[in-house]
Amino acid sequence: MLSGVEKIKAPYFCGASPISVNKTGEWRLLTPTRRESLSPCSSDCLLEGEIPLWLEAVKRESWPEAWQIMSRNNPFPALTGHVCYQSCTANCNRGRLDEEVDIREVEKAIGYWRLDNYEPGGKAVTSKGKVAVAGSGPAGLSCAYYLAVNGYAVTVFEKSAVIGGMAALGIPEYRLPRTVLQRELAILEDMGIDFVTACEVGKDVEVARLYSEYDHLFLATGAWLSRRAGIKGEEAEGVWYALDFLSLVNRGGDPESGGTVVVIGGGNAAIDSARTALRQPGVDHVSLVYRRSRAEMPAEPSEVEAAEDEGVELIFNALPREIITKNGAAVGIGFDYCRTGLEGLIVDRNRSFEKSCSTVIMALGQDPDYSIFGQLKETRPLYAGGDLVSGPATVPEAIRAGRLAAFSLLADLEGTPLPDFGARPLKKVSFEDLNLAAKVNLQLQQKQTLPFEEAARCLGCGSCNSCGVCYLFCPDLAVDRSNGSYEFNLDYCKGCGICAEECPARALVMEGGV
Amino acid sequence: MLVDDLNREREMIISGHNACPGCGAALAVRYLTRALGPNLAIVLTASCWSIIAGAPPLTALKCPILHCPFPSAGSVGSGLKRGLEAKGKGDTTVVVLAGDGGTFDIGLQALSGAAQRNEDIIFVCYDNEAYMNTGMQTSSATPFGARTNTAPYPLFKEGRKKDIMQIMAAHGIPYAATATVAFPDDMEAKLKKAQSITGFRFIHVLSPCPPGWGSESADTVHLSRLAVQTGFFPLYEIHNGVDWKMTWMTDKSRLPLSAYLDRQRRFKQMDKEKIVALQEELDDEWYFLMNKVGPADRC
Ligand SMILES: Cc1cc2nc3c(=O)[nH]c(=O)nc-3n(C[C@H](O)[C@H](O)[C@H](O)COP(=O)(O)OP(=O)(O)OC[C@H]3O[C@@H](n4cnc5c(N)ncnc54)[C@H](O)[C@@H]3O)c2cc1C
Ligand SMILES: Cc1ncc(C[n+]2csc(CCOP(=O)(O)OP(=O)(O)O)c2C)c(N)n1
Ligand code: SF4
Ligand code: SF4
Ligand code: SF4
Ligand SMILES: [Mg+2]
């Protein structure tokens, strides 16, 4: 009966056969099974990233796997790794122990891995059909990416000479190195995506023509109409709108704004304008004037602090009344005191002051240009997304819109049912749900500098993060470890359930039946 | 750190062994053998582990096991070590593995003799708090208030659990320590320390037993942790019988004992007065231990 049973080859053993011929898994009544629940980070991620899963892959230094998981939701992690406002981090459960996981840094590392390791020549199959995309911002690029990897020929029409939308023309270089977009673009071109620049859809090429020459069209033209202040002197020389100012600098132009600069507004574009102005030759002072209080600023607090640290003067509760001009050029601004009341702004015209300056940058917000919709004579469903639809939003939201549009278009063109995008039925895992008692054994490390070490700080809320606790506590040694991840060996698992009870991530359940 | 070193090569226990699902003793010996192996020989008394290890020629451990009569573990261990030394194999670690019956009761005399002679062995008692292999009979390690098959309802175990650690400390042996399966790092550190010391070493391991305790098999590690957190089974070590040191401190925030008792059917129907009595007994022992340990070593 025991013939063929391997003798134990341990150095200090005196001849016997391993008991593993006993398949004690036959005793099992319940079987450990993976169950994924929703982590706070995923649930707060604006593009619904499966964050704990790619963190886990990075922890094992399995970069191809990390990219594979990442790109299911986000094809541009190097971009978001630089500019995303990281809503994912705010409620990270790890923050309850010491400090939140630096999710965005790991994301950026995956992004650079992708840029460094993309193998050129991998043109996607482009035989299934042709789709035109209007606008090369994050929304347009994301849609183009998902259509291309699904076998469609995509042509992106861009009004500007530069690809990347607001990421290329709005976001300043000191926050996003230009090489990131250039390298992303090279990959997209290599994947077979065509780009037609300096071509405005609706003007240089008719919408109707695109509908007839392509199987479908995705509109992602962003929100580029600068709001006006409607005050005297707004047309004077030396008065800029933030987007014009930023895109000129981003294209390498010189706004010739020496001396004193006053930025009006309290959003991110205002901060970016102020910090960019500070970097222009000849500028010796930059003030930012906002009509409400500091606490009411829509800009990211960290950005406001950075501006202040760099020397931008912040002035609150002041509303511009007029731009003072001399010989058609701006020389100063008159302000009235102003604060937030119950029914809007309360302006006190008796408390006013003037500020002299040579350049004014108006950053009062942007609106989408809806005129393109007026040209549509289509009866088919219309696909549009990003800032064009939402109004000024963020890069990750635009990426998500592009992805959703791509999969909707695919379903439409192939006659398959629309994917259920809203479906995330999983339970959200709170800090209290986690079982950190077992983690006490794992001696949690403090904030780390290497991506795979930082990724290892993730508690894996609701999904396995390969912590090894199930392996550690199995009395039957029925948990196998290969490539750093864990599998159950059902030949020997007796179904005791210790693993599911102890799993810190609450990623296991015992299921009935063998 | 154990988890950092999840190297299967180090494991000396073999899947397919005969322990019940969720057996704390199987887990304890898994940690024990990986910490002390591979140059290891085990002397085993009659106990659950005699069964878990398998009937020859099958074996559940990748090291030699010498089965010995129930009361004789201390003597057989002494003899094996001296024999190995005589044959020039003194570098082999000799571990005596015995249940609480084989340690607290029937094995006590041989254990005391070996300890007094300061034999160069590591005596490991896995304590499941009753004679489990023969059907859950009361031992002197069974805690007050528990039901066993020799003290079925409405009976219960009378008298306190024997304090084996004080007995061993009184022998003045070089090293003695408590350990339990929810704290594998602590257990491994103590075993490694024991291995580095010459002379008689004693490790007392609390090993939850689902059928014997009437607990869920999934609860084994959790119960073991609760035993420490309630102060029911404190983790500490004693050098030379006099130098007591906590290795895991529960502090003032000890959990109430009921957190531990409520998850075990052996304590079901225990009336309030008995729970209070057991909590008081525990508080006394805790106070005694804190006095032994001294403020600096409360870790
Ligand atoms: C100054 C500034 C800083 C920002 N910083 C951040 C940040 O740090 N993090 C963040 O997440 N978000 C940031 N945002 C917001 C973010 O950049 C946008 O939400 C995002 O780029 C929107 O993507 P989109 O693709 O919808 O539109 P856009 O990026 O605006 O792209 C639209 C593209 O369409 C082109 N286009 C317009 N009309 C036509 C037409 N008729 N035909 C062809 N092409 C056309 C435009 O030239 C543009 O290239 C910032 C925005 C600004 C203004
Ligand atoms: C001299 C002697 N008496 C009785 C027995 C029967 N016997 C075998 S195992 C065992 C129980 C051992 O209890 P314990 O030492 O606590 O180990 P456990 O089974 O609980 O693991 C008994 C009583 C025996 N083998 N030898
Ligand atoms: S610990 Fe990990 S899974 Fe949990 S919220 Fe933080 S990053 Fe997400
Ligand atoms: S215990 Fe750790 S390794 Fe095992 S399933 Fe849970 S998270 Fe994954
Ligand atoms: S009776 Fe208890 S100690 Fe014995 S094998 Fe079963 S679980 Fe383990
Ligand atoms: Mg016993």
Side-chain angles (χ1 to χ4, degrees), chain A residues 76 131-145 154-160 162-166 169 185 188 193-202 205 210 217-224 372 383-388 398 402:
Chain A
F76 310 123
V131 178
V133 171
S136 72
L141 295 182
S142 154
C143 181
Y145 171 89
V154 184
T155 308
V156 180
F157 294 89
E158 168 56 53
K159 176 179 167 181
S160 147
V162 184
I163 299 294
M166 213 58 103
L169 295 170
L185 179 63
L188 293 173
I193 298 169
D194 279 332
F195 289 93
V196 182
T197 50
C199 178
E200 182 173 349
V201 173
V205 52
L210 293 179
L217 171 67
F218 175 55
L219 293 171
T221 51
W224 281 81
I372 199 163
Y383 293 95
D387 279 6
L388 170 65

Coordinates of all heavy atoms in Angstrom, one line a residue, chain A residues 76 131-145 154-160 162-166 169 185 188 193-202 205 210 217-224 372 383-388 398 402:
Chain A
F76 N -3.4 55.7 -17.6 CA -2.4 56.7 -17.5 C -1.9 57.0 -16.1 O -2.0 58.1 -15.6 CB -2.9 58.1 -18.1 CG -3.5 57.9 -19.5 CD1 -4.8 58.3 -19.8 CD2 -2.7 57.3 -20.5 CE1 -5.3 58.1 -21.0 CE2 -3.3 57.1 -21.8 CZ -4.6 57.5 -22.1
V131 N -13.5 54.8 -35.1 CA -14.2 55.8 -34.3 C -13.4 57.1 -34.3 O -12.1 57.1 -34.2 CB -14.3 55.3 -32.8 CG1 -15.0 56.3 -31.9 CG2 -15.2 54.0 -32.8
A132 N -14.1 58.2 -34.3 CA -13.4 59.5 -34.2 C -13.6 60.1 -32.8 O -14.7 59.9 -32.2 CB -14.0 60.5 -35.2
V133 N -12.6 60.8 -32.3 CA -12.7 61.4 -31.0 C -12.4 62.8 -31.1 O -11.4 63.2 -31.8 CB -11.7 60.7 -30.0 CG1 -11.6 61.5 -28.7 CG2 -12.0 59.2 -29.7
A134 N -13.2 63.7 -30.6 CA -13.0 65.1 -30.7 C -12.4 65.6 -29.3 O -13.1 65.5 -28.3 CB -14.3 65.9 -31.0
G135 N -11.2 66.0 -29.3 CA -10.5 66.5 -28.1 C -9.5 65.5 -27.6 O -9.8 64.3 -27.5
S136 N -8.3 66.0 -27.3 CA -7.3 65.0 -26.9 C -6.9 65.2 -25.4 O -5.8 65.0 -25.0 CB -6.0 65.2 -27.7 OG -5.4 66.4 -27.3
G137 N -7.9 65.6 -24.6 CA -7.7 65.7 -23.1 C -7.7 64.3 -22.5 O -7.9 63.3 -23.3
P138 N -7.6 64.2 -21.2 CA -7.6 62.9 -20.6 C -8.9 62.0 -21.0 O -8.7 60.8 -21.2 CB -7.7 63.2 -19.1 CG -7.0 64.5 -19.0 CD -7.3 65.3 -20.3
A139 N -10.0 62.7 -21.2 CA -11.2 61.9 -21.5 C -11.1 61.3 -22.9 O -11.3 60.1 -23.1 CB -12.4 62.8 -21.5
G140 N -10.6 62.1 -23.9 CA -10.5 61.7 -25.2 C -9.4 60.6 -25.3 O -9.6 59.6 -26.0
L141 N -8.3 60.8 -24.7 CA -7.2 59.8 -24.7 C -7.6 58.5 -24.1 O -7.2 57.4 -24.6 CB -5.9 60.4 -24.1 CG -5.3 61.6 -24.7 CD1 -4.0 62.0 -23.9 CD2 -5.0 61.4 -26.2
S142 N -8.3 58.6 -23.0 CA -8.7 57.3 -22.3 C -9.7 56.5 -23.2 O -9.5 55.3 -23.4 CB -9.3 57.7 -21.0 OG -10.2 56.8 -20.5
C143 N -10.6 57.3 -23.8 CA -11.6 56.6 -24.7 C -10.8 55.9 -25.9 O -11.0 54.8 -26.2 CB -12.6 57.6 -25.2 SG -13.8 56.9 -26.3
A144 N -9.9 56.7 -26.5 CA -9.1 56.2 -27.6 C -8.3 54.9 -27.2 O -8.3 54.0 -27.9 CB -8.1 57.3 -28.1
Y145 N -7.7 55.0 -26.0 CA -6.9 53.8 -25.5 C -7.8 52.6 -25.5 O -7.5 51.5 -26.0 CB -6.3 54.1 -24.1 CG -5.7 52.9 -23.5 CD1 -4.4 52.6 -23.7 CD2 -6.5 52.1 -22.7 CE1 -3.8 51.5 -23.1 CE2 -5.9 51.0 -22.1 CZ -4.6 50.7 -22.3 OH -4.0 49.6 -21.7
V154 N -8.8 54.4 -34.2 CA -9.2 55.6 -33.6 C -8.5 56.8 -34.2 O -7.2 56.7 -34.3 CB -9.0 55.6 -32.1 CG1 -9.6 56.8 -31.4 CG2 -9.7 54.3 -31.5
T155 N -9.2 57.8 -34.5 CA -8.5 59.1 -34.9 C -9.0 60.2 -34.0 O -10.2 60.3 -33.7 CB -8.9 59.5 -36.4 OG1 -8.7 58.4 -37.2 CG2 -8.1 60.7 -36.8
V156 N -8.0 60.8 -33.3 CA -8.3 61.9 -32.4 C -8.1 63.2 -33.1 O -7.0 63.5 -33.6 CB -7.4 61.8 -31.2 CG1 -7.7 62.9 -30.2 CG2 -7.5 60.4 -30.5
F157 N -9.1 64.1 -33.1 CA -9.0 65.4 -33.6 C -8.8 66.4 -32.5 O -9.6 66.5 -31.6 CB -10.3 65.8 -34.4 CG -10.5 64.9 -35.6 CD1 -11.1 63.7 -35.6 CD2 -9.9 65.3 -36.9 CE1 -11.3 62.8 -36.7 CE2 -10.1 64.5 -38.0 CZ -10.7 63.2 -37.9
E158 N -7.8 67.2 -32.6 CA -7.5 68.2 -31.5 C -7.4 69.6 -32.1 O -6.6 69.8 -33.1 CB -6.2 67.7 -30.8 CG -5.6 68.8 -29.9 CD -6.5 69.3 -28.8 OE1 -7.1 68.4 -28.1 OE2 -6.7 70.5 -28.7
K159 N -8.1 70.5 -31.5 CA -8.1 71.9 -31.9 C -6.7 72.6 -31.8 O -6.3 73.3 -32.7 CB -9.1 72.6 -31.1 CG -9.2 74.1 -31.2 CD -10.3 74.6 -30.3 CE -10.3 76.1 -30.1 NZ -11.4 76.5 -29.2
S160 N -6.1 72.3 -30.7 CA -4.8 72.9 -30.4 C -3.6 72.1 -31.2 O -3.9 71.1 -31.7 CB -4.5 72.9 -28.9 OG -3.2 72.8 -28.6
V162 N -1.2 71.0 -29.6 CA -0.6 70.2 -28.6 C -1.6 69.1 -28.1 O -2.8 69.4 -28.0 CB -0.2 71.0 -27.3 CG1 0.5 70.2 -26.3 CG2 0.7 72.2 -27.8
I163 N -1.2 67.9 -27.9 CA -2.0 66.8 -27.4 C -2.0 66.8 -25.8 O -1.0 67.1 -25.2 CB -1.4 65.5 -27.9 CG1 -1.4 65.4 -29.4 CG2 -2.2 64.3 -27.3 CD1 -2.8 65.4 -30.0
G164 N -3.2 66.5 -25.3 CA -3.2 66.4 -23.8 C -4.2 67.2 -23.1 O -4.5 67.1 -21.9
G165 N -4.9 68.2 -23.9 CA -5.9 69.0 -23.2 C -5.4 69.8 -22.1 O -4.3 70.3 -22.1
M166 N -6.2 69.9 -21.1 CA -5.9 70.7 -19.9 C -4.6 70.2 -19.2 O -3.9 71.0 -18.6 CB -7.1 70.7 -18.9 CG -7.3 71.9 -18.2 SD -7.5 73.4 -19.2 CE -9.3 73.6 -19.1
L169 N -2.0 71.9 -21.4 CA -2.0 73.3 -21.5 C -2.4 74.1 -20.3 O -2.1 75.2 -20.1 CB -3.0 73.7 -22.6 CG -2.6 73.2 -24.0 CD1 -3.8 73.4 -25.0 CD2 -1.4 74.0 -24.5
L185 N 2.0 59.8 -25.2 CA 1.6 60.0 -26.6 C 2.3 59.1 -27.5 O 1.7 58.5 -28.4 CB 1.8 61.5 -27.0 CG 1.5 61.9 -28.4 CD1 0.0 61.7 -28.6 CD2 1.9 63.3 -28.7
L188 N 0.7 55.8 -27.3 CA -0.7 55.7 -28.0 C -0.5 55.7 -29.5 O -1.2 55.0 -30.2 CB -1.5 56.9 -27.6 CG -1.9 56.9 -26.1 CD1 -2.6 58.3 -25.7 CD2 -2.8 55.8 -25.8
I193 N -3.1 54.6 -32.8 CA -4.0 55.7 -32.7 C -3.5 56.9 -33.5 O -2.3 57.3 -33.4 CB -4.3 56.1 -31.2 CG1 -4.8 55.0 -30.5 CG2 -5.2 57.4 -31.2 CD1 -4.9 55.2 -29.0
D194 N -4.4 57.5 -34.4 CA -4.0 58.6 -35.2 C -4.4 59.9 -34.5 O -5.4 60.0 -33.9 CB -4.8 58.6 -36.6 CG -4.1 57.6 -37.5 OD1 -2.8 57.4 -37.4 OD2 -4.8 57.0 -38.4
F195 N -3.5 60.9 -34.7 CA -3.8 62.2 -34.1 C -3.8 63.3 -35.2 O -2.9 63.3 -36.0 CB -2.7 62.6 -33.1 CG -2.9 61.7 -31.8 CD1 -2.2 60.5 -31.7 CD2 -3.7 62.1 -30.8 CE1 -2.3 59.8 -30.5 CE2 -3.9 61.3 -29.7 CZ -3.2 60.2 -29.5
V196 N -4.8 64.1 -35.3 CA -4.9 65.2 -36.2 C -4.9 66.4 -35.3 O -5.9 66.7 -34.7 CB -6.1 65.1 -37.1 CG1 -6.1 66.3 -38.1 CG2 -6.2 63.8 -37.8
T197 N -3.8 67.2 -35.3 CA -3.8 68.4 -34.5 C -4.2 69.6 -35.3 O -4.3 69.6 -36.5 CB -2.4 68.6 -33.8 OG1 -1.4 68.5 -34.9 CG2 -2.1 67.5 -32.8
A198 N -4.3 70.7 -34.6 CA -4.7 72.0 -35.1 C -6.0 71.8 -36.0 O -6.1 72.3 -37.1 CB -3.6 72.6 -35.9
C199 N -6.9 71.0 -35.6 CA -8.1 70.8 -36.4 C -9.3 70.8 -35.4 O -9.5 69.9 -34.6 CB -8.0 69.4 -37.0 SG -9.4 68.9 -38.0
E200 N -10.1 71.9 -35.6 CA -11.2 72.1 -34.7 C -12.5 71.4 -35.2 O -12.9 71.7 -36.4 CB -11.5 73.6 -34.5 CG -12.6 73.9 -33.5 CD -12.8 75.3 -33.2 OE1 -11.9 76.1 -33.6 OE2 -13.8 75.7 -32.6
V201 N -13.0 70.5 -34.5 CA -14.2 69.8 -34.9 C -15.4 70.8 -34.9 O -15.5 71.5 -33.9 CB -14.5 68.6 -34.0 CG1 -15.9 68.0 -34.4 CG2 -13.4 67.6 -34.1
G202 N -16.1 70.9 -36.0 CA -17.2 71.8 -36.1 C -16.8 73.0 -36.9 O -17.6 73.8 -37.4
V205 N -13.3 70.7 -39.5 CA -13.9 69.4 -40.0 C -15.4 69.4 -39.5 O -15.6 69.6 -38.3 CB -13.1 68.2 -39.7 CG1 -12.8 68.1 -38.2 CG2 -13.8 66.9 -40.1
L210 N -17.7 63.6 -39.9 CA -17.1 62.6 -39.0 C -18.1 61.4 -38.8 O -17.7 60.3 -38.9 CB -16.7 63.2 -37.7 CG -15.6 64.2 -37.7 CD1 -15.3 64.8 -36.3 CD2 -14.3 63.6 -38.2
L217 N -18.7 58.7 -33.0 CA -17.9 59.9 -32.6 C -18.0 60.1 -31.1 O -19.1 59.9 -30.5 CB -18.5 61.2 -33.3 CG -18.0 62.5 -32.9 CD1 -16.5 62.7 -33.2 CD2 -18.8 63.6 -33.5
F218 N -16.9 60.4 -30.5 CA -16.9 60.7 -29.0 C -16.5 62.1 -28.9 O -15.5 62.6 -29.4 CB -16.0 59.8 -28.3 CG -15.9 60.1 -26.8 CD1 -17.0 60.2 -26.0 CD2 -14.6 60.3 -26.2 CE1 -16.9 60.5 -24.6 CE2 -14.5 60.6 -24.9 CZ -15.6 60.7 -24.1
L219 N -17.3 62.9 -28.2 CA -17.0 64.3 -28.0 C -16.4 64.5 -26.6 O -17.1 64.2 -25.6 CB -18.3 65.2 -28.1 CG -19.0 65.2 -29.5 CD1 -20.3 65.9 -29.4 CD2 -18.1 66.0 -30.4
A220 N -15.2 65.1 -26.5 CA -14.6 65.4 -25.3 C -13.8 66.7 -25.4 O -12.6 66.7 -25.3 CB -13.7 64.2 -24.9
T221 N -14.5 67.7 -25.6 CA -13.8 69.0 -25.9 C -13.6 69.9 -24.7 O -13.1 71.0 -24.8 CB -14.6 69.8 -27.0 OG1 -16.0 69.9 -26.5 CG2 -14.6 69.1 -28.3
G222 N -13.9 69.4 -23.5 CA -13.5 70.1 -22.3 C -14.3 71.3 -22.0 O -15.4 71.5 -22.6
A223 N -13.8 72.1 -21.1 CA -14.5 73.3 -20.7 C -13.5 74.5 -20.8 O -12.6 74.6 -19.9 CB -15.0 73.2 -19.3
W224 N -13.6 75.2 -21.9 CA -12.5 76.1 -22.2 C -13.0 77.6 -22.3 O -12.2 78.4 -22.6 CB -11.8 75.7 -23.5 CG -10.9 74.6 -23.3 CD1 -11.2 73.3 -23.2 CD2 -9.5 74.7 -23.1 NE1 -10.0 72.5 -23.0 CE2 -8.9 73.4 -22.9 CE3 -8.6 75.8 -23.1 CZ2 -7.6 73.2 -22.7 CZ3 -7.2 75.5 -22.9 CH2 -6.7 74.2 -22.7
I372 N -21.1 73.1 -30.2 CA -20.9 71.9 -31.1 C -22.1 71.0 -31.1 O -22.4 70.4 -32.1 CB -19.6 71.1 -30.6 CG1 -19.1 70.2 -31.7 CG2 -19.9 70.3 -29.3 CD1 -17.7 69.7 -31.5
Y383 N -22.4 60.3 -27.8 CA -21.4 60.0 -26.8 C -20.5 61.2 -26.5 O -19.9 61.8 -27.4 CB -20.5 58.8 -27.2 CG -21.3 57.6 -27.3 CD1 -21.9 57.1 -28.4 CD2 -21.6 56.9 -26.1 CE1 -22.7 56.0 -28.5 CE2 -22.4 55.7 -26.1 CZ -23.0 55.3 -27.3 OH -23.8 54.2 -27.4
A384 N -20.6 61.7 -25.2 CA -19.8 62.8 -24.8 C -19.4 62.6 -23.4 O -20.0 61.9 -22.6 CB -20.6 64.1 -25.0
G385 N -18.2 63.2 -23.0 CA -17.8 63.0 -21.6 C -16.7 63.9 -21.2 O -16.2 64.7 -22.0
G386 N -16.3 63.9 -20.0 CA -15.2 64.7 -19.4 C -15.8 66.1 -19.0 O -17.0 66.2 -18.8
D387 N -14.9 67.1 -19.0 CA -15.3 68.4 -18.6 C -16.5 69.0 -19.4 O -17.3 69.8 -18.9 CB -14.1 69.4 -18.7 CG -13.2 69.3 -17.5 OD1 -13.4 68.4 -16.6 OD2 -12.2 70.1 -17.4
L388 N -16.5 68.5 -20.7 CA -17.6 69.0 -21.5 C -19.0 68.7 -20.9 O -19.9 69.5 -21.0 CB -17.5 68.3 -22.9 CG -18.7 68.5 -23.9 CD1 -18.8 70.0 -24.3 CD2 -18.5 67.7 -25.2
A398 N -12.2 62.6 -15.8 CA -12.2 62.6 -17.3 C -11.8 61.2 -17.8 O -12.3 60.7 -18.8 CB -11.3 63.7 -17.8
G402 N -13.9 58.7 -20.2 CA -13.5 58.2 -21.5 C -13.6 56.6 -21.5 O -14.0 56.0 -22.5

